[in-house]
Amino acid sequence: MTVWLVAACAILVGTVLQRLSGTGVGLVCAPVLALLLGSAQGVLVTNATTTVSGFLIMLAVRRDVDWRRAGVLVCWARW
């Protein structure tokens, strides 16, 4: 039970830092989850958490995106 509570706290802190500064989920969650769950499971859960966090943040800020500018950047990023 305490393992899951510590993991949940690490994920919460990581997602809050991700929203505030743009980095956090991987930097906070990966070490904690790797120590708690083992290296393979910790990285897997960190990747899943990062994906979900990024998707939820995207939903929250999608109205603030300049889609035309984003399209230009994506087109030039291919080269």
Side-chain angles (χ1 to χ4, degrees), residues 7-72:
C9 288
I11 291 169
L12 178 66
V13 169
T15 54
V16 169
L17 288 174
Q18 180 74 29
R19 180 67 172 104
L20 291 175
S21 69
T23 107
V25 176
L27 293 174
V28 172
C29 290
V32 173
L33 293 177
L35 288 173
L36 291 174
L37 305 174
S39 58
Q41 285 296 108
V43 170
L44 180 68
V45 173
T46 298
N47 288 341
T49 303
T50 303
T51 303
V52 171
S53 174
F55 181 74
L56 293 175
I57 290 171
M58 181 200 67
L59 290 178
V61 299
R62 72 179 182 269
R63 292 190 179 138
D64 299 329
V65 174
D66 182 356
W67 291 106
R68 184 171 181 198
R69 184 177 292 175
V72 170

